[in-house]
């Protein structure tokens, strides 16, 4: 089911022109996904040298959420910088959801990833959010809920 879902999500994002690897084939019997190879670097390894990519990353996340796709593992390790643009990868934990909460949690995971991996770029998340607003017209409700999710996380004991 996970392989089939990952293939369907990649098809959906591809159709919406969100940069992801090109899906070639999904084999349910072998539980394999055949996709194009992206010859590039992980965003994790280039963001510190090119902080402007944070806004582009945010726009991709916004476009993905506008298609009601929640990544489930949004980190800079799951983005490839190839052919002078960013591509989202690894949709193994992804799912379709119209829930604002799910999208806010997706962004919260990204916040935590940026704070731990890219602590030298304190404004990276603000740049991501600026791009997110460009990619997702329904950004305001997601960003409002993100504040609720963040507050919940801070108050945990």
């Amino acid at each position: 089911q996970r392989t089939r879902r990952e293939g369907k999500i990649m098809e959906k994002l591809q159709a919406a022109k969100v940069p992801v690897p090109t899906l070639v084939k999904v084999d349910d019997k072998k539980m394999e996904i055949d996709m194009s190879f992206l010859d590039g670097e992980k965003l994790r390894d280039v963001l510190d040298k090119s902080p402007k990519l944070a806004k582009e990353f945010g726009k991709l996340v916004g476009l993905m959420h506008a298609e009601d796709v929640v990544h489930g593992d949004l980190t800079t390790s799951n983005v490839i910088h190839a052919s002078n643009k960013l591509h989202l990868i690894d949709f193994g934990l992804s799912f379709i959801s119209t829930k604002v909460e799910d999208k806010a949690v997706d962004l919260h995971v990204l916040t935590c990833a940026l704070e731990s991996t890219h602590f030298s770029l304190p404004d990276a998340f603000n740049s991501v959010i600026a791009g997110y607003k460009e990619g997702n017209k329904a950004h305001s409700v997601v960003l409002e809920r993100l504040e609720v999710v963040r507050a919940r996380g801070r108050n945990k004991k």
Side-chain angles (χ1 to χ4, degrees):
Q1 284 178 326
R2 184 172 157 175
T3 303
R4 194 175 300 126
R5 182 178 64 232
E6 185 172 0
K8 286 186 187 304
I9 285 172
M10 289 178 68
E11 281 178 345
K12 180 178 177 74
L13 292 175
Q14 225 171 273
K17 306 283 190 244
V18 178
V20 298
T22 302
L23 189 63
V24 177
K25 181 177 82 171
V26 177
D27 188 328
D28 288 342
K29 290 181 181 156
K30 293 181 183 175
M31 290 184 283
E32 293 178 346
I33 297 176
D34 191 8
M35 66 184 89
S36 64
F37 176 75
L38 294 171
D39 191 13
E41 297 178 273
K42 290 179 182 176
L43 180 58
R44 177 196 69 207
D45 299 330
V46 297
L47 186 60
D48 290 339
K49 294 175 272 185
S50 302
K52 68 183 185 324
L53 292 174
K55 185 175 181 182
E56 185 181 342
F57 180 29
K59 187 172 183 178
L60 285 185
V61 175
L63 291 169
M64 179 182 67
H65 282 178
E67 293 298 318
D68 292 328
V69 173
V70 175
H71 191 278
D73 190 19
L74 267 181
T75 69
T76 53
S77 292
N78 288 327
V79 184
I80 300 291
H81 184 247
S83 302
N84 220 19
K85 70 178 183 176
L86 298 180
H87 301 77
L88 294 169
I89 63 167
D90 193 1
F91 296 94
L93 298 176
S94 299
F95 57 97
I96 304 293
S97 176
T98 58
K99 293 180 182 175
V100 173
E101 174 81 7
D102 292 337
K103 295 170 188 177
V105 168
D106 219 21
L107 286 176
H108 182 63
V109 168
L110 177 55
T111 305
C112 296
L114 287 172
E115 287 173 355
S116 66
T117 307
H118 303 285
F119 50 86
S120 63
L121 297 173
D123 291 331
F125 191 69
N126 291 333
S127 295
V128 166
I129 293 303
Y132 187 82
K133 289 176 179 179
E134 288 179 19
N136 186 357
K137 289 182 175 138
H139 62 83
S140 60
V141 292
V142 177
L143 297 178
E144 284 174 23
R145 183 60 62 91
L146 174 60
E147 292 310 312
V148 173
V149 169
R150 280 176 145 171
R152 235 182 9 231
R154 277 194 291 269
N155 296 329
K156 277 189 171 175
K157 299 242 182 219

